Amino acid sequence: MNITLLQKRLTTVYLVLFVLYSLAARFTLTSSFMDGPINNTLYRLLLIGGCLLALWQLFYVRKRLRTRDTALLFLFLLLMCIGIFLNQDYGLLDNIYGFFTFAFQLILFYYLSCLMSEPELTGLFKRLILLGSFLWNIACAGSIVQYLCNVHYLCRYAADKGIVRQGITDGRLFGLFTDPNFAAFTSLLLLFGLWYVMRRTSVRLIRLYARISIVIHALYLIMSNSRTVYLSVTGSVLFFVLFRFYKEKQDTWEKASTMAGHLLLRGICTLLCLAAVYCGILFSLQTVARLIVPERDTATEMIRNDVDSQNISNNRFTIWNAYWELYREKPIFGFSFRSALPYATQKNPEGYLAQTQYVTHNGYLSLLVETGITGFLVMAVFLLSLLVRVIRYSRRRAPVSDTFVLAAVWLLSILIFCLCFHDIFFTMNLETFLFWWGLGYLKKESGAFDNKKAAAWERAALKNASA
C-alpha cells in the first residue's frame, strides 16, 4: 500500500474517532459514562494518536513550511513554552498536556488540506456530517419529544446538584444534552454541513434525509433558547446569504452603490425571516407551556439565585472583570493553559474565581489570560493577515467552491460563539477541529489562487457584462 494512502486512511479513521469523542461529551448518558478514568484514558489515547499523526503530517508538508503564517504559528508555540516554564508551580503536567493538545491539533488539522485533495476532503466531510447528524438527530428528536410530552420536565442530572428544571418555560431545553448552548451550536454547525451535503450529492434519499435533519436541528436550536447561539446564527446566516448572493450577482452590478443597496435589502429580509421563524416557534410554544405548567415548587426545584432578568450576561460581565484583573498580574506571557484558576485560588482563596471556579466564558479573553499580550498579538496578526488574504480572494470575479463557503461560515460561527464561551485554542473538541481546518483550507485556497486565472475570469465576466 502507498505510504501516503495509508496516512490518509489513518487520518480519516482518527478524525471519525475524534468527532465521536467530541459529540459523546455532549450527551448526558455518554458524558456520565465517560467521566473520570474512562475520559482520561480516551483523552490520552487521542492525544498520543494525534501527536503521532501530526509528526507524520509535519514530515509530509515540510516543504510548505517556509511561509509567514507558519512562522507566526511556531512563534506562538515558542511563547507557549515560555508561559509553561514561568508557571511551572501551578500545574506543570496539565500545562504540558495542554501544549501537546494544542500543537497536534494545529498541525494535523491546519495542514489537512495539504494532505488531501478537494474530492477527498469532500468525501471525508460528507461522511463526518452524515454520521454526526444521524447521532444528533436522535438526541434532538428525543429532547423535543421529552419537552412536548412533559412540559415541566424535571431530571436529577447529578447526585450533588439536586433537581434540574428543564423546559422552554424556564428559558432552556437541556433535553438529552449536558449543555444546551453547545448542543444548539452543534446543531448550527450541522445545518451548514447538511446544506453542503445536499450541494455535493445527487442521491435523492440522502437529500431527503438532509432536509428532514435540517428541520430537526433548527427546531432544537430555537427551543434551546441560547442567546449566544442566536447571535452566532444571526451573524453566520447573514454572512452565508449575503456572500452567496454577492458571488452570484457580482458580474451584474456596475456601481458600488447598486451593490450596497441590493445587499442591504437582502440583509434586512434575512433578519426579518430569522425573527419571524424564531418568534413563530418559540413564543407560541412558550405561550402554550405557560398555560398548562403547574406552579413552581421553590422548595424542591433548583432555582438559581445568582441570575435574574436584569443579569443579561448570566454573570459573564463579572467573570470577565475578574479575569481581566487576574490578567494584569501576568500580562506579558500569561498563565499558560491550566494555571489561571490554581493561581487565583492560591493567591486569593476568598475571591470570586476561587469560590466559583468559573472559566473565562470568552475565547479571546482566555487567549489573552493564558498566553499574555505576546501570544495574543501573534495570534491576532496571524488571523488578520489571513482575513485580508481571504477578502482579496473573495472579491475577485471568479467562483468559489462550496467547500470554501462551508469553511468560511463554520469559521465565522465559531469566532462569534467564542465571544461568550471558553475556548477553541487549548481544548479538544469539535469546534477546535473545524476552526483549524477552516483556517488551513481558506489559507490554501486564497494563497494558491493563480493571478492569471483570476485575470482571465475577470476579462470574461466584463465581456459578458458589456455584451
Side-chain angles (χ1 to χ4, degrees), residues 59-77:
F59 177 79
Y60 180 82
V61 301
R62 64 190 184 282
K63 296 181 180 179
R64 308 185 189 187
L65 297 179
R66 298 177 183 177
T67 59
R68 182 176 61 181
D69 62 299
T70 301
L72 287 171
L73 291 174
F74 277 86
L75 175 59
F76 187 78
L77 290 174

Side-chain angles (χ1 to χ4, degrees), residues 226-239:
S226 170
R227 288 170 290 182
T228 303
V229 175
Y230 289 164
L231 184 64
S232 296
V233 169
T234 303
S236 57
V237 171
L238 196 60
F239 166 80

Side-chain angles (χ1 to χ4, degrees), residues 322-368:
Y323 269 102
W324 174 254
E325 295 298 325
L326 183 65
Y327 156 75
R328 294 169 64 180
E329 298 190 25
K330 291 191 175 185
I332 307 301
F333 295 105
F335 290 87
S336 194
F337 312 102
R338 306 288 185 265
S339 298
L341 281 176
Y343 178 91
T345 302
Q346 180 175 323
K347 294 295 183 180
N348 186 13
E350 301 300 323
Y352 180 78
L353 293 179
Q355 293 296 313
T356 61
Q357 293 294 300
Y358 281 143
V359 295
T360 59
H361 285 77
N362 185 296
Y364 307 101
L365 180 59
S366 173
L367 179 66
L368 180 64

Side-chain angles (χ1 to χ4, degrees), residues 196-422:
Y196 179 76
V197 168
M198 288 194 298
R199 293 277 296 182
R200 306 300 294 178
T201 186
S202 59
V203 181
R204 292 185 178 181
L205 188 60
I206 294 180
R207 293 171 67 89
L208 176 62
Y209 165 81
R211 290 190 177 97
I212 296 173
S213 300
I214 286 174
V215 173
I216 295 174
H217 295 320
L219 282 175
Y220 181 82
L221 193 154
I222 294 172
M223 294 170 69
S224 71
N225 207 10
S226 170
R227 288 170 290 182
T228 303
V229 175
Y230 289 164
L231 184 64
S232 296
V233 169
T234 303
S236 57
V237 171
L238 196 60
F239 166 80
F240 178 76
V241 171
L242 295 183
F243 182 73
R244 296 190 69 225
F245 182 65
Y246 167 75
K247 296 304 294 184
E248 289 174 2
K249 303 294 184 180
Q250 186 179 19
D251 298 333
T252 63
W253 293 324
E254 298 180 358
K255 297 181 180 180
S257 58
T258 304
M259 178 188 68
H262 280 86
L263 291 176
L264 179 61
L265 180 61
R266 182 60 64 99
I268 293 174
C269 292
T270 301
L271 292 176
L272 289 176
C273 290
L274 287 174
V277 172
Y278 167 79
C279 295
I281 295 177
L282 183 69
F283 290 169
S284 60
L285 288 174
Q286 280 190 331
T287 301
V288 173
R290 285 168 179 157
L291 291 175
I292 63 177
V293 70
E295 291 294 327
R296 300 196 61 168
D297 184 359
T298 57
T300 60
E301 296 178 21
M302 188 184 78
I303 302 177
R304 290 183 63 177
N305 301 327
D306 58 337
V307 176
D308 55 35
S309 58
Q310 297 180 346
N311 186 358
I312 61 172
S313 70
N314 277 3
N315 294 328
R316 282 178 174 81
F317 294 156
T318 305
I319 296 170
W320 296 342
N321 183 66
Y323 269 102
W324 174 254
E325 295 298 325
L326 183 65
Y327 156 75
R328 294 169 64 180
E329 298 190 25
K330 291 191 175 185
I332 307 301
F333 295 105
F335 290 87
S336 194
F337 312 102
R338 306 288 185 265
S339 298
L341 281 176
Y343 178 91
T345 302
Q346 180 175 323
K347 294 295 183 180
N348 186 13
E350 301 300 323
Y352 180 78
L353 293 179
Q355 293 296 313
T356 61
Q357 293 294 300
Y358 281 143
V359 295
T360 59
H361 285 77
N362 185 296
Y364 307 101
L365 180 59
S366 173
L367 179 66
L368 180 64
V369 170
E370 295 175 352
T371 65
I373 191 63
T374 52
F376 184 87
L377 289 178
V378 169
M379 185 58 66
V381 170
F382 167 75
L383 294 176
L384 290 175
S385 63
L386 178 62
L387 175 63
V388 171
R389 184 185 304 172
V390 170
I391 290 176
R392 289 176 178 173
Y393 171 75
S394 302
R395 291 181 62 188
R396 302 190 183 221
R397 293 181 180 273
V400 296
S401 66
D402 292 332
T403 309
F404 182 91
V405 176
L406 180 67
V409 74
W410 269 349
L411 196 57
L412 179 62
S413 302
I414 293 169
L415 290 173
I416 297 175
F417 188 67
C418 279
L419 290 171
C420 296
F421 279 92
H422 176 93

Side-chain angles (χ1 to χ4, degrees), residues 3 5 26 31 36 49 115 144 149 160 182 275 279 312 328 357 410:
I3 295 297
L5 180 60
R26 300 180 183 186
S31 177
L115 176 67
I144 295 170
C149 294
D160 60 337
F182 283 99
C279 295
I312 61 172
R328 294 169 64 180
Q357 293 294 300
W410 269 349

